[in-house]
mmCIF file with all atom_site columns, all heavy atoms in Angstrom:
data_model
loop_
_atom_site.group_PDB
_atom_site.id
_atom_site.type_symbol
_atom_site.label_atom_id
_atom_site.label_alt_id
_atom_site.label_comp_id
_atom_site.label_asym_id
_atom_site.label_entity_id
_atom_site.label_seq_id
_atom_site.pdbx_PDB_ins_code
_atom_site.Cartn_x
_atom_site.Cartn_y
_atom_site.Cartn_z
_atom_site.occupancy
_atom_site.B_iso_or_equiv
_atom_site.pdbx_formal_charge
_atom_site.auth_seq_id
_atom_site.auth_comp_id
_atom_site.auth_asym_id
_atom_site.auth_atom_id
_atom_site.pdbx_PDB_model_num
ATOM 1   N N     . MET A 1 1  ? 0.847   -1.220 -0.005 1.00 54.00 ? 14 MET A N     1
ATOM 2   C CA    . MET A 1 1  ? -0.002  0.005  0.004  1.00 54.00 ? 14 MET A CA    1
ATOM 3   C C     . MET A 1 1  ? 0.876   1.253  0.004  1.00 54.00 ? 14 MET A C     1
ATOM 4   O O     . MET A 1 1  ? 1.960   1.253  0.561  1.00 54.00 ? 14 MET A O     1
ATOM 5   C CB    . MET A 1 1  ? -0.889  0.003  1.248  1.00 54.00 ? 14 MET A CB    1
ATOM 6   C CG    . MET A 1 1  ? -2.054  0.972  1.163  1.00 54.00 ? 14 MET A CG    1
ATOM 7   S SD    . MET A 1 1  ? -2.837  1.201  2.736  1.00 54.00 ? 14 MET A SD    1
ATOM 8   C CE    . MET A 1 1  ? -3.629  -0.375 2.946  1.00 54.00 ? 14 MET A CE    1
ATOM 9   N N     . GLU A 1 2  ? 0.387   2.256  -0.635 1.00 60.00 ? 15 GLU A N     1
ATOM 10  C CA    . GLU A 1 2  ? 1.165   3.499  -0.679 1.00 60.00 ? 15 GLU A CA    1
ATOM 11  C C     . GLU A 1 2  ? 1.309   4.062  0.730  1.00 60.00 ? 15 GLU A C     1
ATOM 12  O O     . GLU A 1 2  ? 0.399   3.952  1.561  1.00 60.00 ? 15 GLU A O     1
ATOM 13  C CB    . GLU A 1 2  ? 0.445   4.510  -1.586 1.00 60.00 ? 15 GLU A CB    1
ATOM 14  C CG    . GLU A 1 2  ? 1.364   5.627  -2.075 1.00 60.00 ? 15 GLU A CG    1
ATOM 15  C CD    . GLU A 1 2  ? 0.557   6.793  -2.625 1.00 60.00 ? 15 GLU A CD    1
ATOM 16  O OE1   . GLU A 1 2  ? -0.484  6.524  -3.240 1.00 60.00 ? 15 GLU A OE1   1
ATOM 17  O OE2   . GLU A 1 2  ? 0.979   7.952  -2.409 1.00 60.00 ? 15 GLU A OE2   1
ATOM 18  N N     . THR A 1 30 ? -11.283 7.705  29.138 1.00 91.00 ? 43 THR A N     1
ATOM 19  C CA    . THR A 1 30 ? -10.789 6.755  28.142 1.00 91.00 ? 43 THR A CA    1
ATOM 20  C C     . THR A 1 30 ? -9.275  6.956  28.003 1.00 91.00 ? 43 THR A C     1
ATOM 21  O O     . THR A 1 30 ? -8.833  8.059  27.697 1.00 91.00 ? 43 THR A O     1
ATOM 22  C CB    . THR A 1 30 ? -11.455 6.990  26.769 1.00 91.00 ? 43 THR A CB    1
ATOM 23  O OG1   . THR A 1 30 ? -12.873 6.923  26.929 1.00 91.00 ? 43 THR A OG1   1
ATOM 24  C CG2   . THR A 1 30 ? -11.004 5.962  25.771 1.00 91.00 ? 43 THR A CG2   1
ATOM 25  N N     . SER A 1 31 ? -8.539  5.924  28.276 1.00 90.00 ? 44 SER A N     1
ATOM 26  C CA    . SER A 1 31 ? -7.098  6.060  28.168 1.00 90.00 ? 44 SER A CA    1
ATOM 27  C C     . SER A 1 31 ? -6.624  5.726  26.759 1.00 90.00 ? 44 SER A C     1
ATOM 28  O O     . SER A 1 31 ? -7.269  4.950  26.040 1.00 90.00 ? 44 SER A O     1
ATOM 29  C CB    . SER A 1 31 ? -6.389  5.164  29.185 1.00 90.00 ? 44 SER A CB    1
ATOM 30  O OG    . SER A 1 31 ? -6.595  3.818  28.868 1.00 90.00 ? 44 SER A OG    1
ATOM 31  N N     . VAL A 1 32 ? -5.509  6.301  26.394 1.00 89.00 ? 45 VAL A N     1
ATOM 32  C CA    . VAL A 1 32 ? -4.906  6.010  25.094 1.00 89.00 ? 45 VAL A CA    1
ATOM 33  C C     . VAL A 1 32 ? -4.644  4.511  24.980 1.00 89.00 ? 45 VAL A C     1
ATOM 34  O O     . VAL A 1 32 ? -4.877  3.905  23.932 1.00 89.00 ? 45 VAL A O     1
ATOM 35  C CB    . VAL A 1 32 ? -3.605  6.823  24.940 1.00 89.00 ? 45 VAL A CB    1
ATOM 36  C CG1   . VAL A 1 32 ? -2.883  6.431  23.671 1.00 89.00 ? 45 VAL A CG1   1
ATOM 37  C CG2   . VAL A 1 32 ? -3.916  8.312  24.929 1.00 89.00 ? 45 VAL A CG2   1
ATOM 38  N N     . LYS A 1 43 ? 1.705   1.920  21.480 1.00 87.00 ? 56 LYS A N     1
ATOM 39  C CA    . LYS A 1 43 ? 1.797   3.318  21.853 1.00 87.00 ? 56 LYS A CA    1
ATOM 40  C C     . LYS A 1 43 ? 2.706   4.094  20.900 1.00 87.00 ? 56 LYS A C     1
ATOM 41  O O     . LYS A 1 43 ? 2.488   5.250  20.589 1.00 87.00 ? 56 LYS A O     1
ATOM 42  C CB    . LYS A 1 43 ? 2.296   3.451  23.288 1.00 87.00 ? 56 LYS A CB    1
ATOM 43  C CG    . LYS A 1 43 ? 1.238   4.018  24.176 1.00 87.00 ? 56 LYS A CG    1
ATOM 44  C CD    . LYS A 1 43 ? 1.741   4.225  25.560 1.00 87.00 ? 56 LYS A CD    1
ATOM 45  C CE    . LYS A 1 43 ? 0.642   4.848  26.366 1.00 87.00 ? 56 LYS A CE    1
ATOM 46  N NZ    . LYS A 1 43 ? 0.958   4.886  27.785 1.00 87.00 ? 56 LYS A NZ    1
ATOM 47  N N     . TYR A 1 47 ? 1.851   7.752  19.110 1.00 90.00 ? 60 TYR A N     1
ATOM 48  C CA    . TYR A 1 47 ? 2.613   8.975  19.245 1.00 90.00 ? 60 TYR A CA    1
ATOM 49  C C     . TYR A 1 47 ? 3.482   9.255  18.019 1.00 90.00 ? 60 TYR A C     1
ATOM 50  O O     . TYR A 1 47 ? 4.111   10.311 17.925 1.00 90.00 ? 60 TYR A O     1
ATOM 51  C CB    . TYR A 1 47 ? 3.430   8.971  20.548 1.00 90.00 ? 60 TYR A CB    1
ATOM 52  C CG    . TYR A 1 47 ? 2.521   9.222  21.739 1.00 90.00 ? 60 TYR A CG    1
ATOM 53  C CD1   . TYR A 1 47 ? 2.022   8.182  22.508 1.00 90.00 ? 60 TYR A CD1   1
ATOM 54  C CD2   . TYR A 1 47 ? 2.104   10.519 22.028 1.00 90.00 ? 60 TYR A CD2   1
ATOM 55  C CE1   . TYR A 1 47 ? 1.168   8.435  23.568 1.00 90.00 ? 60 TYR A CE1   1
ATOM 56  C CE2   . TYR A 1 47 ? 1.258   10.770 23.089 1.00 90.00 ? 60 TYR A CE2   1
ATOM 57  C CZ    . TYR A 1 47 ? 0.788   9.716  23.855 1.00 90.00 ? 60 TYR A CZ    1
ATOM 58  O OH    . TYR A 1 47 ? -0.071  9.973  24.878 1.00 90.00 ? 60 TYR A OH    1
ATOM 59  N N     . LYS A 1 53 ? -2.723  13.230 23.301 1.00 90.00 ? 66 LYS A N     1
ATOM 60  C CA    . LYS A 1 53 ? -4.126  12.795 23.358 1.00 90.00 ? 66 LYS A CA    1
ATOM 61  C C     . LYS A 1 53 ? -5.039  13.935 22.937 1.00 90.00 ? 66 LYS A C     1
ATOM 62  O O     . LYS A 1 53 ? -6.017  13.713 22.218 1.00 90.00 ? 66 LYS A O     1
ATOM 63  C CB    . LYS A 1 53 ? -4.419  12.352 24.791 1.00 90.00 ? 66 LYS A CB    1
ATOM 64  C CG    . LYS A 1 53 ? -5.762  11.669 24.956 1.00 90.00 ? 66 LYS A CG    1
ATOM 65  C CD    . LYS A 1 53 ? -6.070  11.445 26.449 1.00 90.00 ? 66 LYS A CD    1
ATOM 66  C CE    . LYS A 1 53 ? -7.427  10.797 26.675 1.00 90.00 ? 66 LYS A CE    1
ATOM 67  N NZ    . LYS A 1 53 ? -7.796  10.724 28.093 1.00 90.00 ? 66 LYS A NZ    1
ATOM 68  P P     . DG  C 2 17 ? -5.820  3.313  33.045 1.00 89.64 ? 33 DG  C P     1
ATOM 69  O OP1   . DG  C 2 17 ? -7.181  3.341  32.498 1.00 89.64 ? 33 DG  C OP1   1
ATOM 70  O OP2   . DG  C 2 17 ? -4.821  2.337  32.528 1.00 89.64 ? 33 DG  C OP2   1
ATOM 71  O "O5'" . DG  C 2 17 ? -5.190  4.766  32.928 1.00 89.64 ? 33 DG  C "O5'" 1
ATOM 72  C "C5'" . DG  C 2 17 ? -5.841  5.835  33.615 1.00 89.64 ? 33 DG  C "C5'" 1
ATOM 73  C "C4'" . DG  C 2 17 ? -5.067  7.103  33.449 1.00 89.64 ? 33 DG  C "C4'" 1
ATOM 74  O "O4'" . DG  C 2 17 ? -4.061  7.201  34.464 1.00 89.64 ? 33 DG  C "O4'" 1
ATOM 75  C "C3'" . DG  C 2 17 ? -4.327  7.256  32.117 1.00 89.64 ? 33 DG  C "C3'" 1
ATOM 76  O "O3'" . DG  C 2 17 ? -5.140  7.975  31.212 1.00 89.64 ? 33 DG  C "O3'" 1
ATOM 77  C "C2'" . DG  C 2 17 ? -3.104  8.069  32.492 1.00 89.64 ? 33 DG  C "C2'" 1
ATOM 78  C "C1'" . DG  C 2 17 ? -2.855  7.688  33.938 1.00 89.64 ? 33 DG  C "C1'" 1
ATOM 79  N N9    . DG  C 2 17 ? -1.860  6.636  34.122 1.00 89.64 ? 33 DG  C N9    1
ATOM 80  C C8    . DG  C 2 17 ? -2.043  5.272  33.993 1.00 89.64 ? 33 DG  C C8    1
ATOM 81  N N7    . DG  C 2 17 ? -0.976  4.581  34.257 1.00 89.64 ? 33 DG  C N7    1
ATOM 82  C C5    . DG  C 2 17 ? -0.039  5.526  34.553 1.00 89.64 ? 33 DG  C C5    1
ATOM 83  C C6    . DG  C 2 17 ? 1.317   5.362  34.932 1.00 89.64 ? 33 DG  C C6    1
ATOM 84  O O6    . DG  C 2 17 ? 1.973   4.322  35.039 1.00 89.64 ? 33 DG  C O6    1
ATOM 85  N N1    . DG  C 2 17 ? 1.936   6.603  35.152 1.00 89.64 ? 33 DG  C N1    1
ATOM 86  C C2    . DG  C 2 17 ? 1.319   7.825  35.051 1.00 89.64 ? 33 DG  C C2    1
ATOM 87  N N2    . DG  C 2 17 ? 2.057   8.898  35.293 1.00 89.64 ? 33 DG  C N2    1
ATOM 88  N N3    . DG  C 2 17 ? 0.060   7.993  34.709 1.00 89.64 ? 33 DG  C N3    1
ATOM 89  C C4    . DG  C 2 17 ? -0.551  6.806  34.481 1.00 89.64 ? 33 DG  C C4    1
ATOM 90  P P     . DG  C 2 18 ? -4.734  8.014  29.658 1.00 89.64 ? 34 DG  C P     1
ATOM 91  O OP1   . DG  C 2 18 ? -5.887  8.556  28.916 1.00 89.64 ? 34 DG  C OP1   1
ATOM 92  O OP2   . DG  C 2 18 ? -4.162  6.716  29.273 1.00 89.64 ? 34 DG  C OP2   1
ATOM 93  O "O5'" . DG  C 2 18 ? -3.566  9.095  29.616 1.00 89.64 ? 34 DG  C "O5'" 1
ATOM 94  C "C5'" . DG  C 2 18 ? -3.811  10.421 30.045 1.00 89.64 ? 34 DG  C "C5'" 1
ATOM 95  C "C4'" . DG  C 2 18 ? -2.548  11.246 29.943 1.00 89.64 ? 34 DG  C "C4'" 1
ATOM 96  O "O4'" . DG  C 2 18 ? -1.534  10.586 30.728 1.00 89.64 ? 34 DG  C "O4'" 1
ATOM 97  C "C3'" . DG  C 2 18 ? -1.983  11.366 28.523 1.00 89.64 ? 34 DG  C "C3'" 1
ATOM 98  O "O3'" . DG  C 2 18 ? -1.507  12.676 28.324 1.00 89.64 ? 34 DG  C "O3'" 1
ATOM 99  C "C2'" . DG  C 2 18 ? -0.873  10.338 28.480 1.00 89.64 ? 34 DG  C "C2'" 1
ATOM 100 C "C1'" . DG  C 2 18 ? -0.392  10.306 29.926 1.00 89.64 ? 34 DG  C "C1'" 1
ATOM 101 N N9    . DG  C 2 18 ? 0.108   8.997  30.366 1.00 89.64 ? 34 DG  C N9    1
ATOM 102 C C8    . DG  C 2 18 ? -0.522  7.784  30.213 1.00 89.64 ? 34 DG  C C8    1
ATOM 103 N N7    . DG  C 2 18 ? 0.167   6.773  30.674 1.00 89.64 ? 34 DG  C N7    1
ATOM 104 C C5    . DG  C 2 18 ? 1.316   7.366  31.183 1.00 89.64 ? 34 DG  C C5    1
ATOM 105 C C6    . DG  C 2 18 ? 2.444   6.767  31.820 1.00 89.64 ? 34 DG  C C6    1
ATOM 106 O O6    . DG  C 2 18 ? 2.651   5.592  32.077 1.00 89.64 ? 34 DG  C O6    1
ATOM 107 N N1    . DG  C 2 18 ? 3.400   7.724  32.183 1.00 89.64 ? 34 DG  C N1    1
ATOM 108 C C2    . DG  C 2 18 ? 3.268   9.082  31.940 1.00 89.64 ? 34 DG  C C2    1
ATOM 109 N N2    . DG  C 2 18 ? 4.294   9.837  32.351 1.00 89.64 ? 34 DG  C N2    1
ATOM 110 N N3    . DG  C 2 18 ? 2.237   9.645  31.334 1.00 89.64 ? 34 DG  C N3    1
ATOM 111 C C4    . DG  C 2 18 ? 1.287   8.728  30.991 1.00 89.64 ? 34 DG  C C4    1
ATOM 112 P P     . DG  C 2 19 ? -1.044  13.110 26.859 1.00 89.64 ? 35 DG  C P     1
ATOM 113 O OP1   . DG  C 2 19 ? -1.150  14.577 26.792 1.00 89.64 ? 35 DG  C OP1   1
ATOM 114 O OP2   . DG  C 2 19 ? -1.736  12.282 25.865 1.00 89.64 ? 35 DG  C OP2   1
ATOM 115 O "O5'" . DG  C 2 19 ? 0.485   12.752 26.868 1.00 89.64 ? 35 DG  C "O5'" 1
ATOM 116 C "C5'" . DG  C 2 19 ? 1.323   13.371 27.856 1.00 89.64 ? 35 DG  C "C5'" 1
ATOM 117 C "C4'" . DG  C 2 19 ? 2.658   12.662 27.865 1.00 89.64 ? 35 DG  C "C4'" 1
ATOM 118 O "O4'" . DG  C 2 19 ? 2.516   11.331 28.393 1.00 89.64 ? 35 DG  C "O4'" 1
ATOM 119 C "C3'" . DG  C 2 19 ? 3.314   12.499 26.493 1.00 89.64 ? 35 DG  C "C3'" 1
ATOM 120 O "O3'" . DG  C 2 19 ? 4.448   13.371 26.415 1.00 89.64 ? 35 DG  C "O3'" 1
ATOM 121 C "C2'" . DG  C 2 19 ? 3.707   11.036 26.431 1.00 89.64 ? 35 DG  C "C2'" 1
ATOM 122 C "C1'" . DG  C 2 19 ? 3.612   10.588 27.899 1.00 89.64 ? 35 DG  C "C1'" 1
ATOM 123 N N9    . DG  C 2 19 ? 3.352   9.171  28.065 1.00 89.64 ? 35 DG  C N9    1
ATOM 124 C C8    . DG  C 2 19 ? 2.245   8.468  27.670 1.00 89.64 ? 35 DG  C C8    1
ATOM 125 N N7    . DG  C 2 19 ? 2.325   7.198  27.945 1.00 89.64 ? 35 DG  C N7    1
ATOM 126 C C5    . DG  C 2 19 ? 3.552   7.040  28.565 1.00 89.64 ? 35 DG  C C5    1
ATOM 127 C C6    . DG  C 2 19 ? 4.204   5.904  29.087 1.00 89.64 ? 35 DG  C C6    1
ATOM 128 O O6    . DG  C 2 19 ? 3.769   4.739  29.115 1.00 89.64 ? 35 DG  C O6    1
ATOM 129 N N1    . DG  C 2 19 ? 5.446   6.213  29.638 1.00 89.64 ? 35 DG  C N1    1
ATOM 130 C C2    . DG  C 2 19 ? 6.008   7.470  29.646 1.00 89.64 ? 35 DG  C C2    1
ATOM 131 N N2    . DG  C 2 19 ? 7.221   7.575  30.186 1.00 89.64 ? 35 DG  C N2    1
ATOM 132 N N3    . DG  C 2 19 ? 5.412   8.543  29.171 1.00 89.64 ? 35 DG  C N3    1
ATOM 133 C C4    . DG  C 2 19 ? 4.208   8.256  28.648 1.00 89.64 ? 35 DG  C C4    1
ATOM 134 P P     . DT  C 2 20 ? 5.398   13.354 25.111 1.00 89.64 ? 36 DT  C P     1
ATOM 135 O OP1   . DT  C 2 20 ? 5.902   14.740 24.947 1.00 89.64 ? 36 DT  C OP1   1
ATOM 136 O OP2   . DT  C 2 20 ? 4.714   12.659 24.002 1.00 89.64 ? 36 DT  C OP2   1
ATOM 137 O "O5'" . DT  C 2 20 ? 6.620   12.428 25.588 1.00 89.64 ? 36 DT  C "O5'" 1
ATOM 138 C "C5'" . DT  C 2 20 ? 7.148   12.602 26.872 1.00 89.64 ? 36 DT  C "C5'" 1
ATOM 139 C "C4'" . DT  C 2 20 ? 8.373   11.734 27.044 1.00 89.64 ? 36 DT  C "C4'" 1
ATOM 140 O "O4'" . DT  C 2 20 ? 7.967   10.366 27.341 1.00 89.64 ? 36 DT  C "O4'" 1
ATOM 141 C "C3'" . DT  C 2 20 ? 9.289   11.653 25.804 1.00 89.64 ? 36 DT  C "C3'" 1
ATOM 142 O "O3'" . DT  C 2 20 ? 10.607  11.891 26.219 1.00 89.64 ? 36 DT  C "O3'" 1
ATOM 143 C "C2'" . DT  C 2 20 ? 9.067   10.214 25.286 1.00 89.64 ? 36 DT  C "C2'" 1
ATOM 144 C "C1'" . DT  C 2 20 ? 8.739   9.464  26.568 1.00 89.64 ? 36 DT  C "C1'" 1
ATOM 145 N N1    . DT  C 2 20 ? 7.868   8.271  26.392 1.00 89.64 ? 36 DT  C N1    1
ATOM 146 C C2    . DT  C 2 20 ? 8.330   7.052  26.856 1.00 89.64 ? 36 DT  C C2    1
ATOM 147 O O2    . DT  C 2 20 ? 9.398   6.923  27.423 1.00 89.64 ? 36 DT  C O2    1
ATOM 148 N N3    . DT  C 2 20 ? 7.454   6.018  26.673 1.00 89.64 ? 36 DT  C N3    1
ATOM 149 C C4    . DT  C 2 20 ? 6.218   6.038  26.050 1.00 89.64 ? 36 DT  C C4    1
ATOM 150 O O4    . DT  C 2 20 ? 5.554   5.054  25.939 1.00 89.64 ? 36 DT  C O4    1
ATOM 151 C C5    . DT  C 2 20 ? 5.822   7.346  25.560 1.00 89.64 ? 36 DT  C C5    1
ATOM 152 C C7    . DT  C 2 20 ? 4.509   7.500  24.869 1.00 89.64 ? 36 DT  C C7    1
ATOM 153 C C6    . DT  C 2 20 ? 6.665   8.390  25.747 1.00 89.64 ? 36 DT  C C6    1
ATOM 154 P P     . DT  C 2 21 ? 11.761  12.042 25.094 1.00 89.64 ? 37 DT  C P     1
ATOM 155 O OP1   . DT  C 2 21 ? 12.706  13.056 25.592 1.00 89.64 ? 37 DT  C OP1   1
ATOM 156 O OP2   . DT  C 2 21 ? 11.152  12.207 23.756 1.00 89.64 ? 37 DT  C OP2   1
ATOM 157 O "O5'" . DT  C 2 21 ? 12.444  10.607 25.148 1.00 89.64 ? 37 DT  C "O5'" 1
ATOM 158 C "C5'" . DT  C 2 21 ? 12.631  9.992  26.415 1.00 89.64 ? 37 DT  C "C5'" 1
ATOM 159 C "C4'" . DT  C 2 21 ? 13.205  8.595  26.221 1.00 89.64 ? 37 DT  C "C4'" 1
ATOM 160 O "O4'" . DT  C 2 21 ? 12.103  7.651  26.097 1.00 89.64 ? 37 DT  C "O4'" 1
ATOM 161 C "C3'" . DT  C 2 21 ? 14.080  8.438  24.971 1.00 89.64 ? 37 DT  C "C3'" 1
ATOM 162 O "O3'" . DT  C 2 21 ? 15.294  7.837  25.322 1.00 89.64 ? 37 DT  C "O3'" 1
ATOM 163 C "C2'" . DT  C 2 21 ? 13.254  7.544  24.051 1.00 89.64 ? 37 DT  C "C2'" 1
ATOM 164 C "C1'" . DT  C 2 21 ? 12.427  6.749  25.049 1.00 89.64 ? 37 DT  C "C1'" 1
ATOM 165 N N1    . DT  C 2 21 ? 11.133  6.227  24.546 1.00 89.64 ? 37 DT  C N1    1
ATOM 166 C C2    . DT  C 2 21 ? 10.773  4.925  24.825 1.00 89.64 ? 37 DT  C C2    1
ATOM 167 O O2    . DT  C 2 21 ? 11.472  4.176  25.485 1.00 89.64 ? 37 DT  C O2    1
ATOM 168 N N3    . DT  C 2 21 ? 9.567   4.538  24.331 1.00 89.64 ? 37 DT  C N3    1
ATOM 169 C C4    . DT  C 2 21 ? 8.695   5.305  23.563 1.00 89.64 ? 37 DT  C C4    1
ATOM 170 O O4    . DT  C 2 21 ? 7.630   4.848  23.167 1.00 89.64 ? 37 DT  C O4    1
ATOM 171 C C5    . DT  C 2 21 ? 9.135   6.654  23.298 1.00 89.64 ? 37 DT  C C5    1
ATOM 172 C C7    . DT  C 2 21 ? 8.263   7.566  22.481 1.00 89.64 ? 37 DT  C C7    1
ATOM 173 C C6    . DT  C 2 21 ? 10.317  7.054  23.793 1.00 89.64 ? 37 DT  C C6    1
ATOM 174 P P     . DA  C 2 27 ? 7.762   -7.251 4.506  1.00 89.64 ? 43 DA  C P     1
ATOM 175 O OP1   . DA  C 2 27 ? 6.685   -8.256 4.466  1.00 89.64 ? 43 DA  C OP1   1
ATOM 176 O OP2   . DA  C 2 27 ? 9.134   -7.551 3.991  1.00 89.64 ? 43 DA  C OP2   1
ATOM 177 O "O5'" . DA  C 2 27 ? 7.252   -5.929 3.751  1.00 89.64 ? 43 DA  C "O5'" 1
ATOM 178 C "C5'" . DA  C 2 27 ? 6.274   -5.109 4.373  1.00 89.64 ? 43 DA  C "C5'" 1
ATOM 179 C "C4'" . DA  C 2 27 ? 6.392   -3.683 3.875  1.00 89.64 ? 43 DA  C "C4'" 1
ATOM 180 O "O4'" . DA  C 2 27 ? 7.566   -3.048 4.438  1.00 89.64 ? 43 DA  C "O4'" 1
ATOM 181 C "C3'" . DA  C 2 27 ? 6.546   -3.567 2.355  1.00 89.64 ? 43 DA  C "C3'" 1
ATOM 182 O "O3'" . DA  C 2 27 ? 5.659   -2.566 1.903  1.00 89.64 ? 43 DA  C "O3'" 1
ATOM 183 C "C2'" . DA  C 2 27 ? 7.993   -3.138 2.153  1.00 89.64 ? 43 DA  C "C2'" 1
ATOM 184 C "C1'" . DA  C 2 27 ? 8.213   -2.306 3.423  1.00 89.64 ? 43 DA  C "C1'" 1
ATOM 185 N N9    . DA  C 2 27 ? 9.617   -2.119 3.800  1.00 89.64 ? 43 DA  C N9    1
ATOM 186 C C8    . DA  C 2 27 ? 10.563  -3.067 3.967  1.00 89.64 ? 43 DA  C C8    1
ATOM 187 N N7    . DA  C 2 27 ? 11.730  -2.604 4.347  1.00 89.64 ? 43 DA  C N7    1
ATOM 188 C C5    . DA  C 2 27 ? 11.524  -1.244 4.429  1.00 89.64 ? 43 DA  C C5    1
ATOM 189 C C6    . DA  C 2 27 ? 12.379  -0.164 4.788  1.00 89.64 ? 43 DA  C C6    1
ATOM 190 N N6    . DA  C 2 27 ? 13.661  -0.323 5.118  1.00 89.64 ? 43 DA  C N6    1
ATOM 191 N N1    . DA  C 2 27 ? 11.837  1.079  4.785  1.00 89.64 ? 43 DA  C N1    1
ATOM 192 C C2    . DA  C 2 27 ? 10.553  1.224  4.447  1.00 89.64 ? 43 DA  C C2    1
ATOM 193 N N3    . DA  C 2 27 ? 9.650   0.295  4.101  1.00 89.64 ? 43 DA  C N3    1
ATOM 194 C C4    . DA  C 2 27 ? 10.213  -0.930 4.117  1.00 89.64 ? 43 DA  C C4    1
ATOM 195 P P     . DA  C 2 28 ? 5.074   -2.639 0.398  1.00 89.64 ? 44 DA  C P     1
ATOM 196 O OP1   . DA  C 2 28 ? 3.629   -2.876 0.444  1.00 89.64 ? 44 DA  C OP1   1
ATOM 197 O OP2   . DA  C 2 28 ? 5.970   -3.495 -0.429 1.00 89.64 ? 44 DA  C OP2   1
ATOM 198 O "O5'" . DA  C 2 28 ? 5.314   -1.107 -0.055 1.00 89.64 ? 44 DA  C "O5'" 1
ATOM 199 C "C5'" . DA  C 2 28 ? 4.804   -0.079 0.778  1.00 89.64 ? 44 DA  C "C5'" 1
ATOM 200 C "C4'" . DA  C 2 28 ? 5.680   1.148  0.648  1.00 89.64 ? 44 DA  C "C4'" 1
ATOM 201 O "O4'" . DA  C 2 28 ? 6.994   0.892  1.183  1.00 89.64 ? 44 DA  C "O4'" 1
ATOM 202 C "C3'" . DA  C 2 28 ? 5.866   1.634  -0.786 1.00 89.64 ? 44 DA  C "C3'" 1
ATOM 203 O "O3'" . DA  C 2 28 ? 5.565   3.038  -0.828 1.00 89.64 ? 44 DA  C "O3'" 1
ATOM 204 C "C2'" . DA  C 2 28 ? 7.374   1.416  -1.069 1.00 89.64 ? 44 DA  C "C2'" 1
ATOM 205 C "C1'" . DA  C 2 28 ? 7.959   1.510  0.330  1.00 89.64 ? 44 DA  C "C1'" 1
ATOM 206 N N9    . DA  C 2 28 ? 9.203   0.781  0.535  1.00 89.64 ? 44 DA  C N9    1
ATOM 207 C C8    . DA  C 2 28 ? 9.436   -0.556 0.362  1.00 89.64 ? 44 DA  C C8    1
ATOM 208 N N7    . DA  C 2 28 ? 10.662  -0.925 0.656  1.00 89.64 ? 44 DA  C N7    1
ATOM 209 C C5    . DA  C 2 28 ? 11.294  0.252  1.032  1.00 89.64 ? 44 DA  C C5    1
ATOM 210 C C6    . DA  C 2 28 ? 12.609  0.518  1.459  1.00 89.64 ? 44 DA  C C6    1
ATOM 211 N N6    . DA  C 2 28 ? 13.567  -0.410 1.569  1.00 89.64 ? 44 DA  C N6    1
ATOM 212 N N1    . DA  C 2 28 ? 12.910  1.818  1.771  1.00 89.64 ? 44 DA  C N1    1
ATOM 213 C C2    . DA  C 2 28 ? 11.942  2.735  1.653  1.00 89.64 ? 44 DA  C C2    1
ATOM 214 N N3    . DA  C 2 28 ? 10.667  2.596  1.270  1.00 89.64 ? 44 DA  C N3    1
ATOM 215 C C4    . DA  C 2 28 ? 10.416  1.310  0.970  1.00 89.64 ? 44 DA  C C4    1
ATOM 216 P P     . DT  C 2 29 ? 5.328   3.778  -2.248 1.00 89.64 ? 45 DT  C P     1
ATOM 217 O OP1   . DT  C 2 29 ? 4.120   4.594  -2.084 1.00 89.64 ? 45 DT  C OP1   1
ATOM 218 O OP2   . DT  C 2 29 ? 5.458   2.813  -3.367 1.00 89.64 ? 45 DT  C OP2   1
ATOM 219 O "O5'" . DT  C 2 29 ? 6.585   4.759  -2.284 1.00 89.64 ? 45 DT  C "O5'" 1
ATOM 220 C "C5'" . DT  C 2 29 ? 7.103   5.221  -1.056 1.00 89.64 ? 45 DT  C "C5'" 1
ATOM 221 C "C4'" . DT  C 2 29 ? 8.345   6.077  -1.220 1.00 89.64 ? 45 DT  C "C4'" 1
ATOM 222 O "O4'" . DT  C 2 29 ? 9.516   5.273  -0.910 1.00 89.64 ? 45 DT  C "O4'" 1
ATOM 223 C "C3'" . DT  C 2 29 ? 8.583   6.713  -2.581 1.00 89.64 ? 45 DT  C "C3'" 1
ATOM 224 O "O3'" . DT  C 2 29 ? 8.981   8.064  -2.346 1.00 89.64 ? 45 DT  C "O3'" 1
ATOM 225 C "C2'" . DT  C 2 29 ? 9.724   5.872  -3.166 1.00 89.64 ? 45 DT  C "C2'" 1
ATOM 226 C "C1'" . DT  C 2 29 ? 10.496  5.452  -1.885 1.00 89.64 ? 45 DT  C "C1'" 1
ATOM 227 N N1    . DT  C 2 29 ? 11.246  4.164  -1.950 1.00 89.64 ? 45 DT  C N1    1
ATOM 228 C C2    . DT  C 2 29 ? 12.561  4.142  -1.509 1.00 89.64 ? 45 DT  C C2    1
ATOM 229 O O2    . DT  C 2 29 ? 13.137  5.111  -1.096 1.00 89.64 ? 45 DT  C O2    1
ATOM 230 N N3    . DT  C 2 29 ? 13.144  2.884  -1.569 1.00 89.64 ? 45 DT  C N3    1
ATOM 231 C C4    . DT  C 2 29 ? 12.579  1.694  -2.012 1.00 89.64 ? 45 DT  C C4    1
ATOM 232 O O4    . DT  C 2 29 ? 13.201  0.661  -2.020 1.00 89.64 ? 45 DT  C O4    1
ATOM 233 C C5    . DT  C 2 29 ? 11.202  1.806  -2.446 1.00 89.64 ? 45 DT  C C5    1
ATOM 234 C C7    . DT  C 2 29 ? 10.486  0.605  -2.954 1.00 89.64 ? 45 DT  C C7    1
ATOM 235 C C6    . DT  C 2 29 ? 10.616  3.022  -2.415 1.00 89.64 ? 45 DT  C C6    1
#
Side-chain angles (χ1 to χ4, degrees):
Chain A
M14 196 192 289
E15 200 196 324
T43 304
S44 67
V45 174
K56 247 184 177 170
Y60 284 98
K66 189 188 179 187

